[in-house]
Structure formats: C-alpha cells, structure tokens
Amino acid sequence: MKAGIVGLPNVGKSTLFNCLSNAKAQSANFPFCTIEPNIGVVSVPDARLEQLEGLVKPERVVPATVEIVDIAGLVKGASKGEGLGNQFLGNIRETDAILHVLRCFDNENIVHVDGSINPIRDKETIDMELQLKDLESVEKKLDKVKRAAKTGNKEAQKEEAVLNIIKAGLETGTSVRALSISDDDRKEFVKPLQLITDKPVMYVCNVDEDAAVNGNKYVENVKAAVANENAEVIFLAVGTEADITELETFEERQMFLEDLGLSEPGSAKLIRGAYKLLDLETYFTAGEKEVRAWTIPVGATAPQAAGVIHTDFEKGFIRAEVIAYNDYVNYGSEAKVKEAGKMRVEGKEYVVKDGDVMHFRFNV
C-alpha cells in the first residue's frame, strides 16, 4: 500500500519525503526538481511497540512500515500533458492514497510557480487537473456502457446512472470521493475505474517555524475550504523538520522539539495519518527472538492476518491465540495473561482488532 506525496512544484514535497524516509531525494529551489518518483519505506511510530519491547526484552524489534512516494510537481495543463503531466498522473494513479502538500508560508527567497502564496488556489489547480483526467476516463467508459444500456441490459443501465453522477460531479469541480454514491455502487462500478479523485486524501500544510505549534491563517483557510471533503488537514514546518532529522542524537532532536513547543516531530503524526488513510491497522507478535508490528487492512480475519507472516500460515490455519494489547500491558507477560484466563482462542471468522497480540497455530 502506497501513499503519494503530490502538490505544485516547489512546495516542499521532496524535503518532506526526505524527513519521512531519510532517503535524501534531490530538493532544490526550482520547479520539476523531482522527475522520477522516489519511493521510501517509512517506519510507523507506535508507542505500543516500545511498551511491548520493555516487557518482553526481545533480541530485535521490527516496526510496521508504509510506502511513501514522492511524485513530480504538477502544473496547470497536466491533464493535457503540460509539464510532466502524463508521467505525474500515471504515477499518482498507482498509489492508494494522496498526501497533498500545500505551501502555507511566506518567503520571498523561495519561488512559487504562480508568483504568490495562495494554498486554496494551489489546491484547486491540482484538483482541476486530477478531475479533468478522471473525466476523460469516465467519458470513455460511459461511451461503452451506453451502448450496452440501450440493449436493455439492467446492469449496464445501473452503471450508466452511476457514471452520469460522477461525470456531472467532475464537470462542476467535485472530486469523486465527495460524491454521494452508495458503498455497493462504489465497490462495483467506481473502484474498478481507479479514479484519482476517488483516492482518500490528507492535506499537509507546509508552514514556517513560527506556525509549527498552532498553524496560521493559511491553515485555517485550507480547513474551511475542505470541510465537506471528509479529509484530514495537518500542518508541519517541513524545513524545520528537515533540520531536526539532521541532528545526530535522539537527545538533540528532543531538545530542538521542546524548544519549539512540540512533543513529537510533525512527521510522526503525518506517518500515522497516512497509515490510517490507507485503512491499515496493526497487530503484534511478541517473543524473546522478536517483537514485531504487522500491517493488515482494517477488517482482516485471523487467517488473513496469519497470511501476512507467511502464506502457509493462512492455508493451514487452525486457530489464533489472542491477547488484547491492554491485557498484555496490565498483566506484564504472556504467562500472567494465561494465568488470569485472558488469552482467547479464536477461529477462522475472527476479525482482528488493532493492537491484538497473536500466536497462530497452523498445519500444512
């Protein structure tokens, strides 16, 4: 599962990517610095993992991860191939969620592709290009479906009605994710189209150091503008975060954060947000050799969760031994949890809960 960082050129995308992944993607004060997408595998900060490490004292600890993709900046006309439009749109189509970076700070030394700071205009520029590309995809599909609908095909007629709703929405500047379409229709007719504006989005407001704790007027404007989108808005000082990651020790980084009035890096909040945006959750395995966080889709069953470790675990699944995270912490060890009768045995139908500590029994 991948989240793509998008935005106009020069708004701080590659600097943010470097903060998240320490991958040192090229970033500079000119448009189209990023051409090929950079991909980073980023650890998901999780205090529960640290707590389990303290209790179990394993040989190693492995966190959950999420893939972040830094994609070339987009400009007006991208849907018609302007700038790096076709490449950009192809890359973003391959991601599962969008982290939309908006410049929300003034600095005359850093050029803006449109010459002034206006995050709402910047958002609308990107939205329009993505909507135009989706409209192109929908119109192509609609042409095919209409022919089948005219023959009296009930399923095609139903699909035509949904596609017309999408077309009308896109033509009036509404992204697909904000349209009123039933879950069943989305699953059957919308999801197969892989429309860009149907992907979940988080708006990342790039602010200056002075606004790192409380945000600023630009952030408030963005929140008001996206109020009907069911999208999260976060803000962080990307340049400052970059400075923090350059510090050598954890203690130095913590001192820097405390001086700013922050309890943790904004990038940690963003990574957790991206994980949630991708509809992912975590379960744990805990033993002397290893404490590990495993990533699963929300709603995964016990056999599906087992399959993340190894396909044989899913094929030969017998049962799962499950401890709720809070019980593990309260009792302090697996043995004490068992003594208290708090370990549960669950079968194939069990839907894993975020934070479950699990052992799997299987036979192949």
Side-chain angles (χ1 to χ4, degrees):
M1 300 288 279
K2 294 186 287 193
I5 300 176
V6 308
L8 291 175
N10 231 23
V11 296
K13 299 186 307 301
S14 293
T15 305
L16 174 62
F17 176 80
N18 288 335
C19 290
L20 299 177
S21 67
N22 295 321
K24 303 302 176 200
Q26 187 187 10
S27 59
N29 186 19
F30 57 88
F32 302 126
C33 182
T34 302
I35 296 176
E36 291 299 325
N38 298 296
I39 300 176
V41 179
V42 182
S43 297
V44 179
D46 194 329
R48 297 173 300 181
L49 196 62
E50 296 167 24
Q51 188 90 0
L52 289 171
E53 180 186 8
L55 293 171
V56 179
K57 297 180 173 52
E59 291 176 19
R60 65 174 186 155
V61 176
V62 183
T65 59
V66 62
E67 276 194 11
I68 304 289
V69 188
D70 177 25
I71 296 168
L74 176 148
V75 293
K76 287 176 186 172
S79 57
K80 303 299 179 191
E82 291 293 326
L84 298 168
N86 290 330
Q87 186 170 338
F88 170 97
L89 293 161
N91 291 334
I92 195 61
R93 198 182 292 282
E94 291 172 13
T95 66
D96 303 287
I98 296 171
L99 307 176
H100 187 160
V101 181
L102 296 166
R103 178 171 167 178
C104 293
F105 66 90
D106 298 299
N107 185 333
E108 59 188 28
N109 295 319
I110 300 176
V111 297
H112 188 288
V113 71
D114 285 330
S116 62
I117 308 306
N118 185 337
I120 307 306
R121 175 202 60 208
D122 296 353
K123 171 194 174 305
E124 288 170 353
T125 296
I126 297 262
D127 283 351
M128 183 182 294
E129 296 305 326
L130 300 183
Q131 288 161 2
L132 286 170
K133 199 65 183 176
D134 277 353
L135 186 59
E136 190 180 296
S137 301
V138 169
E139 285 175 338
K140 281 181 186 172
K141 181 68 174 175
L142 199 49
D143 284 344
K144 293 178 184 174
V145 172
K146 276 181 177 175
R147 287 195 289 272
K150 282 178 181 173
T151 66
N153 183 313
K154 297 291 185 189
E155 194 69 9
Q157 289 171 353
K158 191 176 177 184
E159 184 172 8
E160 182 184 11
V162 173
L163 291 173
N164 278 325
I165 290 170
I166 297 171
K167 182 173 182 285
L170 292 169
E171 286 173 340
T172 55
T174 304
S175 293
V176 178
R177 75 179 75 85
L179 294 172
S180 295
I181 300 170
S182 73
D183 290 344
D184 286 345
D185 285 347
R186 279 188 180 276
K187 187 176 179 181
E188 190 172 355
F189 304 123
V190 184
K191 198 170 178 62
L193 294 174
Q194 291 186 292
L195 299 173
I196 302 171
T197 67
D198 190 39
K199 297 179 189 293
V201 64
M202 177 194 294
Y203 294 98
V204 182
C205 297
N206 182 9
V207 300
D208 55 22
E209 189 173 305
D210 292 341
V213 177
N214 298 313
N216 58 25
K217 63 180 182 182
Y218 294 128
V219 175
E220 294 309 311
N221 290 343
V222 171
K223 286 180 178 177
V226 305
N228 69 333
E229 282 193 42
N230 193 28
E232 188 175 354
V233 178
I234 70 166
F235 58 88
L236 64 159
V238 174
T240 305
E241 297 270 337
D243 292 340
I244 292 171
T245 61
E246 293 295 326
L247 297 173
E248 290 185 8
T249 67
F250 173 79
E251 288 73 20
E252 285 178 307
R253 291 193 287 271
Q254 284 303 112
M255 284 177 64
F256 197 139
L257 287 167
E258 285 169 15
D259 287 345
L260 289 173
L262 296 170
S263 58
E264 66 173 355
S267 55
K269 183 168 61 173
L270 188 150
I271 294 164
R272 284 197 299 269
Y275 197 70
K276 187 178 176 185
L277 197 66
L278 289 163
D279 211 22
L280 301 175
E281 62 185 12
T282 302
Y283 77 87
F284 302 101
T285 51
E288 290 179 6
K289 290 277 186 191
E290 178 184 271
V291 167
R292 181 187 285 245
W294 298 90
T295 300
I296 54 171
V298 172
T301 61
Q304 290 168 336
V308 173
I309 300 176
H310 197 287
T311 52
D312 284 351
F313 282 31
E314 183 172 3
K315 287 176 189 170
F317 179 90
I318 299 171
R319 66 180 182 274
E321 295 167 357
V322 184
I323 303 171
Y325 168 77
N326 287 338
D327 286 339
Y328 203 113
V329 172
N330 289 340
Y331 290 97
S333 72
E334 185 177 312
K336 288 181 180 175
V337 170
K338 285 180 179 176
E339 282 175 25
K342 292 290 186 178
M343 178 183 277
R344 307 189 315 275
V345 176
E346 301 286 0
K348 292 182 177 180
E349 303 302 315
Y350 178 67
V351 175
V352 179
K353 295 179 177 62
D354 186 53
D356 278 349
V357 183
M358 306 183 77
H359 286 300
F360 297 104
R361 303 297 177 189
F362 69 101
N363 183 32
V364 177

